[in-house]
Amino acid sequence: MSIDNSRESDGGLPPMEFIASADALAADGPRDVGLIFVGDSFVAGYGDPKALGWVNRVVARTTHPDLDLTAYNLGIRGQSSADLLTRWRSEGLPRWAERRERRLVVGIGQADLDQDLTIARSRLNLANMLDDATARGISPFVVGPPPTLDPEFNRGLELLVEAQSDVCGRRSVPYIDCYYPLLEHDQWLQELASSADQRHPGQAGYGLLAWLVLHGGWEHWLQIAP
C-alpha cells in the first residue's frame, strides 16, 4: 500500500493497531521475528566506546524461549525523518522477506532540526512511515530524541517530541520519550559535557537510553512475558 505524501495533515486518520498475521500466530515453535531498527546516529550508537549503543543493549536483553529473533541495526548518522521515509522500505523488506513476524523500531529527531524541517513536515514523515508499515503488517515502535546541552535547540526538540508523541498516540503505536526523563538527569548531562560533540553520550548515556526503552513497554510490544 502506498502512502500519499501530498497529505497536509494526519489529523483525520483513524488509529491503526498492529495485528499479527494468521501465519505468525499459528506457527509451531518459537516465533520467527525480524526486528529492524532504522534511524539516526543514536540508533547507530555513535560515541559509545563499547560500540553497543542502546540498540545492542536492548537486543541483548530481549531473550525469551518462545522468541527466535533476527535483529538488524540500520542507523545512519545525520539521518532525518525525510531520509528514513525514502529508505526504510527498500532496506527493510529484503530483511523481513523470510520472517513470519515483522517489527520496526524508528529512532529519529535531532537531524530534523539540523535539516530545518518544519514540525509539520517531520510529523507527516513519521505518520507516513507508521501508516505504511502498519498497512503492510509490520508492527512499529518509535523512540524519540534525547535532549542536548543547548537550551535553544532543546526548545525545538520539545516541540518535535510532542508532535511525535501525538502521531504515535493517534495510531496506538508505542512511543518512548527520551527527552523529558533525561532533560535534567545528572548522569546524562555529565555524559554530554564530556563527549566530543556534546550531543552524543558515552556508554553510560546509552545505557540510560536502553533502560528507557526496556522499561517503556518493550516486552508488551513484543508480546513476551517478563
Side-chain angles (χ1 to χ4, degrees):
M1 176 180 176
S2 62
I3 299 298
D4 180 7
N5 289 335
S6 66
R7 290 200 305 266
E8 295 182 357
S9 171
D10 65 316
L13 293 174
M16 301 180 72
E17 185 171 0
F18 172 76
I19 301 175
S21 69
D23 288 343
L25 293 174
D28 294 328
R31 290 160 49 208
D32 180 14
V33 179
L35 178 60
I36 292 179
F37 297 81
V38 296
D40 54 17
S41 52
F42 291 97
V43 171
Y46 174 71
D48 183 358
K50 294 292 186 180
L52 295 173
W54 68 261
V55 169
N56 286 345
R57 285 176 168 84
V58 167
V59 172
R61 295 286 299 275
T62 307
T63 58
H64 192 276
D66 295 332
L67 195 68
D68 182 10
L69 187 68
T70 305
Y72 300 91
N73 187 331
L74 305 181
I76 298 178
R77 286 180 64 184
Q79 291 257 285
S80 68
S81 60
D83 299 314
L84 290 192
L85 185 61
T86 65
R87 75 174 176 94
W88 78 268
R89 286 186 301 272
S90 62
E91 296 187 14
L93 293 178
R95 292 170 171 86
W96 280 310
E98 302 300 323
R99 306 281 66 80
R100 285 184 173 272
E101 190 175 329
R102 301 177 295 171
R103 292 180 179 268
L104 173 70
V105 180
V106 178
I108 45 176
Q110 290 191 9
D112 280 36
L113 301 187
D114 293 332
Q115 295 182 17
D116 294 325
L117 298 184
T118 65
I119 296 298
R121 177 50 58 183
S122 295
R123 178 188 182 100
L124 185 59
N125 289 340
L126 179 60
N128 283 345
M129 278 188 278
L130 299 183
D131 293 345
D132 195 1
T134 305
R136 293 171 184 269
I138 300 164
S139 177
F141 186 101
V142 180
V143 179
T148 71
L149 295 178
D150 183 344
E152 183 177 355
F153 194 85
N154 283 347
R155 282 192 286 272
L157 273 180
E158 185 172 9
L159 295 175
L160 182 60
V161 165
E162 295 291 346
Q164 289 182 344
S165 178
D166 183 62
V167 168
C168 292
R170 290 171 180 265
R171 291 159 174 78
S172 300
V173 170
Y175 180 73
I176 302 301
D177 172 17
C178 296
Y179 178 81
Y180 289 108
L182 299 178
L183 185 59
E184 298 180 355
H185 194 288
D186 289 341
Q187 188 175 33
W188 177 261
L189 298 178
Q190 291 168 9
E191 284 273 290
L192 295 189
S194 62
S195 70
D197 64 0
Q198 298 198 332
R199 184 179 289 193
H200 295 86
Q203 63 185 69
Y206 278 109
L208 291 173
L209 292 174
W211 190 94
L212 290 172
V213 172
L214 288 167
H215 291 81
W218 180 253
E219 291 179 336
H220 176 75
W221 175 65
L222 283 172
Q223 298 174 297
I224 55 177

